Amino acid sequence: MAEKPIWEQIGAGFVQHYYQQFDSNRVLLADLYTEASCLTWEGLGFQGKNAIMEKLTNLPFQKIQHSITAQDHQPTPDSCVISMVVDDDPVMGFHQLFLLKNIDNKWICSNDMFRLALHNFG
């Protein structure tokens, strides 16, 4: 079996690391953002590491266990990696998109977009 392209390895590694940190200790996510990073969470925008971390650490839930259903990764023309993550949980799924950029030999999240995918079973 052929080895996955480098952008898939980078994206999959980032996704695994991100959700492991999110689920265990969200404070550690600060290392993945910079002052130029942007987060859109359910339509609300946040820019900069401090604003992003304030949002992520003050979410109304403390414990969560992500179960990623699918993830796709692509290279961009400017040597970044774009990653799309889906959790198809039937009650509270979500979609999250990351734009990863290599700064000083470290992959950071320059852009992060999150939306719940709530299902109406009523």
Side-chain angles (χ1 to χ4, degrees):
M1 179 186 267
E3 189 172 310
K4 290 183 179 183
I6 188 69
W7 64 84
E8 286 188 22
Q9 295 175 45
I10 292 165
F14 180 90
V15 165
Q16 179 182 8
H17 179 71
Y18 179 91
Y19 291 112
Q20 183 178 50
Q21 297 300 328
F22 192 104
D23 294 349
S24 63
N25 186 357
R26 278 182 241 161
V27 173
L28 299 176
L29 292 174
D31 291 339
L32 303 179
Y33 296 98
T34 69
E35 291 311 314
S37 295
C38 294
L39 166 68
T40 301
W41 186 278
E42 288 291 305
L44 298 174
F46 304 88
Q47 184 168 14
K49 181 189 293 197
N50 291 338
I52 291 169
M53 291 309 302
E54 180 155 339
K55 175 62 180 175
L56 296 179
T57 57
N58 289 305
L59 291 169
F61 53 88
Q62 294 304 310
K63 295 201 177 231
I64 191 165
Q65 181 63 46
H66 288 90
S67 179
I68 305 305
T69 305
Q71 54 183 297
D72 297 305
H73 312 282
Q74 294 180 351
T76 66
D78 56 352
S79 301
C80 293
V81 175
I82 191 166
S83 296
M84 179 67 173
V85 178
V86 177
D87 179 337
D88 279 336
D89 183 283
V91 177
M92 191 174 289
F94 70 89
H95 299 91
Q96 192 161 12
L97 181 112
F98 300 104
L99 181 63
L100 309 177
K101 185 173 186 175
N102 192 314
I103 297 177
D104 298 326
N105 291 319
K106 179 181 173 188
W107 287 95
I108 60 95
C109 182
S110 66
N111 299 81
D112 180 351
M113 294 184 212
F114 176 90
R115 283 279 182 177
L116 288 172
L118 300 178
H119 304 281
N120 184 357
F121 292 106

